[in-house]
Amino acid sequence: LKMLPRFMLAFLKLNMLGFSMEWAAFNVVEVMTSPIFHVKRTGYLAAAQSFTPQTEVNILATQTMRKVFINIDSTCKALFSP
């Protein structure tokens, strides 16, 4: 999991060049579950750019995001409060 965020950034660059990232969908969800904020942000960016309505892990990603936003800590609440 240590090198996965770096690989995810490389995958995102390839995705921006037009290559498919569908094969890395589960890895994107894995990065989204990281407890480190900047790693999690990389996962969310990868999901936003590479997931389509036909992606097989959409339900898993949705449940992951739901769990994160329900259990949001006070630091993140400060970031999202108006």
Side-chain angles (χ1 to χ4, degrees):
L1 187 63
K2 194 179 236 183
M3 294 299 292
L4 197 55
R6 278 200 167 150
F7 292 139
M8 195 60 53
L9 289 173
F11 296 156
L12 283 170
K13 288 178 186 175
L14 289 173
N15 186 287
M16 286 188 248
L17 293 173
F19 294 96
S20 176
M21 223 175 100
E22 298 243 350
W23 56 272
F26 188 77
N27 298 100
V28 170
V29 174
E30 189 177 0
V31 172
M32 288 169 58
T33 60
S34 172
I36 304 167
F37 180 73
H38 69 276
V39 173
K40 188 180 298 236
R41 185 175 57 183
T42 302
Y44 288 148
L45 176 65
Q49 284 192 348
S50 65
F51 286 6
T52 64
Q54 291 80 28
T55 304
E56 296 177 359
V57 295
N58 276 341
I59 295 173
L60 182 61
T62 304
Q63 293 301 324
T64 301
M65 285 188 278
R66 177 183 287 168
K67 187 171 76 170
V68 167
F69 291 130
I70 287 174
N71 298 327
I72 198 164
D73 63 350
S74 59
T75 305
C76 290
K77 284 182 183 177
L79 291 173
F80 294 119
S81 64

